[in-house]
Amino acid sequence: LTENQFTTLFKALQSYYDIHPQCEIAIEIDPRVNTNTFLDMLQQLGFNRISMGIQDFDPKVQKAINRIQPFESILLLQKELKTRQFNAINMDLIYGLPHQTTHSFKATIEKIITLKPNRIALYGYAHVPWLKSHQRLIKEKTLPSPEEKLNIFIQSSNLLTQNGYNAIAMDHFALDDDELSTAYKTGNLYRNFMGYTTQPAKEYIGLGTTSIGFLSNTFIQNTDDLKHYYNCLDNQELPIQKGLNLSFDDQLRQHIILALMCHYQLNIKETEASFNIHFETYFSSSMPHIKQCIKDKLITMENKEIKATALGKLFIRNICLGF
């Protein structure tokens, strides 16, 4: 979108919604293309959280994933953001990319620490060329082994936590004074399909093509076909492509998975009371998985509570798979 289009769109949103003066208004920007005039516009419109994808600073890795953005350009962009009073900055990194090693990625983490973003998301790369055709351009032999990938994550986590960051649930890190750190420490961390959040909103509205909303325990996704999208709007129809109404079983499993992913523990007694079930009976098919996780020292299960161990926190997705 041009700056004029962007401003028109945002002012249209302002005309339909009363936006709270202290509302968090976040946007993901592309560090390679954003101009100072674009940043000025974001500041004038009231944006106050900026997120950007870094992935890796190693030139060899950047070339392999076709995302060239030198450290110096990110440093300059961050200075421009700070000048405009953007004091909430998120940076995304990805481990498991082509040519990455523990040694090369350590250099990236050390550079990120000097930038000191408020939050860091450290995502594992999922190589699924049968789902994402552009990944076919990546040669599998250039990817780090599963062992190397895990070592990259552990090393990165240790470096970040040694330099002022709190590890937040699965793959996020935040400075001690950040709202996300506070929410995690006080048990008020939430998660939706977009990621971790301090906002307990149970419903949200997705606008635009492909966007996802969640209302009354139902996921709704808009069409990805722009022509069909416009036709629906012209005919006063919602441009919905698909949806999913969560059953009782879905809602129960969602509750358990979110508890484990946000807090690394599940209060079985409270879950039984909230959903009127007997846990071990309802999840009899999951009990072999739970027992295996206990045997592998990923979790403990005592006094009607499941808790992830330090090792289990690294494999929380695997634990949740049992549900």
Side-chain angles (χ1 to χ4, degrees):
L1 299 180
T2 66
E3 286 160 30
N4 283 340
Q5 288 173 326
F6 195 99
T7 301
T8 301
L9 174 62
F10 193 78
K11 289 189 173 175
L13 289 173
Q14 287 177 312
S15 72
Y16 286 101
Y17 297 95
D18 292 324
I19 299 178
H20 194 282
Q22 273 144 3
C23 179
E24 181 173 282
I25 307 175
I27 183 170
E28 182 166 357
I29 64 173
D30 186 335
R32 298 169 298 175
V33 299
N34 292 122
T35 62
N36 287 346
T37 53
F38 182 76
L39 299 180
D40 290 337
M41 176 202 68
L42 292 180
Q43 182 188 29
Q44 289 159 15
L45 291 176
F47 282 83
N48 49 26
R49 182 171 291 281
I50 302 292
S51 180
M52 65 182 86
I54 304 295
Q55 313 345 348
D56 192 321
F57 281 125
D58 188 283
K60 191 174 182 181
V61 176
Q62 289 188 354
K63 185 177 180 182
I65 62 174
N66 193 30
R67 191 178 176 94
I68 308 299
Q69 46 186 41
F71 171 73
E72 291 71 24
S73 67
I74 302 298
L75 183 61
L76 181 61
L77 174 60
Q78 189 191 48
K79 286 180 179 175
E80 295 292 348
L81 289 170
K82 293 288 187 183
T83 300
R84 291 165 178 78
Q85 304 302 309
F86 286 109
N87 295 316
I89 299 174
N90 302 3
M91 292 185 180
D92 296 347
L93 301 173
I94 297 179
Y95 65 98
L97 291 172
H99 306 296
Q100 278 181 344
T101 64
T102 50
H103 178 73
S104 71
F105 202 68
K106 182 183 179 187
T108 287
I109 294 292
E110 288 170 343
K111 287 177 179 176
I112 284 288
I113 289 168
T114 66
L115 295 172
K116 208 169 186 180
N118 306 74
R119 297 177 189 174
I120 296 167
L122 182 59
Y123 297 122
Y125 170 66
H127 190 61
V128 285
W130 56 91
L131 291 177
K132 299 182 179 179
S133 56
H134 65 275
Q135 290 187 351
R136 292 173 194 158
L137 297 172
I138 291 176
K139 296 174 183 176
E140 290 195 29
K141 66 180 181 182
T142 64
L143 298 174
S145 68
E147 293 79 10
E148 179 84 348
K149 187 177 176 182
L150 179 60
N151 286 334
I152 291 171
F153 177 82
I154 293 171
Q155 173 187 258
S156 302
S157 179
N158 289 338
L159 280 170
L160 291 171
T161 53
Q162 288 162 12
N163 285 275
Y165 286 90
N166 291 315
I168 309 293
M170 288 193 299
D171 41 28
H172 282 56
F173 299 83
L175 292 175
D176 199 51
D177 60 356
D178 188 88
E179 288 178 343
L180 210 61
S181 283
T182 304
Y184 179 63
K185 289 174 186 173
T186 58
N188 293 310
L189 187 67
Y190 301 92
R191 185 175 174 85
N192 57 35
F193 73 94
M194 293 282 288
Y196 289 106
T197 174
T198 59
Q199 305 297 327
K202 298 225 170 137
E203 298 184 311
Y204 33 94
I205 300 171
L207 302 172
T209 56
T210 76
S211 67
I212 300 172
F214 186 71
L215 300 165
S216 298
N217 286 313
T218 304
F219 285 106
I220 310 111
Q221 183 168 28
N222 286 344
T223 178
D224 59 359
D225 184 316
L226 197 56
K227 185 178 178 182
H228 180 55
Y229 180 82
Y230 284 139
N231 285 339
C232 287
L233 297 185
D234 290 340
N235 292 312
Q236 301 296 304
E237 297 172 3
L238 292 173
I240 294 169
Q241 178 171 287
K242 60 183 176 180
L244 176 68
N245 184 40
L246 298 191
S247 65
F248 171 85
D249 184 67
D250 292 331
Q251 292 174 53
L252 171 57
R253 292 175 187 278
Q254 180 187 51
H255 166 81
I256 291 170
I257 290 169
L258 291 181
L260 290 169
M261 285 190 168
C262 291
H263 313 298
Y264 291 132
Q265 60 186 39
L266 174 72
N267 188 314
I268 294 173
K269 191 174 181 180
E270 286 181 6
T271 302
E272 289 178 326
S274 297
F275 290 89
N276 193 27
I277 62 160
H278 180 263
F279 185 85
E280 292 193 26
T281 303
Y282 193 95
F283 289 105
S284 57
S285 62
S286 299
M287 291 313 294
H289 172 81
I290 292 170
K291 288 175 181 176
Q292 186 63 46
C293 287
I294 294 170
K295 185 180 177 182
D296 292 338
K297 298 184 179 178
L298 301 180
I299 61 171
T300 60
M301 188 174 175
E302 298 169 352
N303 302 320
K304 287 278 187 177
E305 270 197 328
I306 291 176
K307 289 186 178 180
T309 63
L311 180 63
K313 289 177 181 180
L314 294 175
F315 295 98
I316 196 69
R317 280 188 178 88
N318 303 69
I319 295 167
C320 290
L321 275 173
F323 297 101

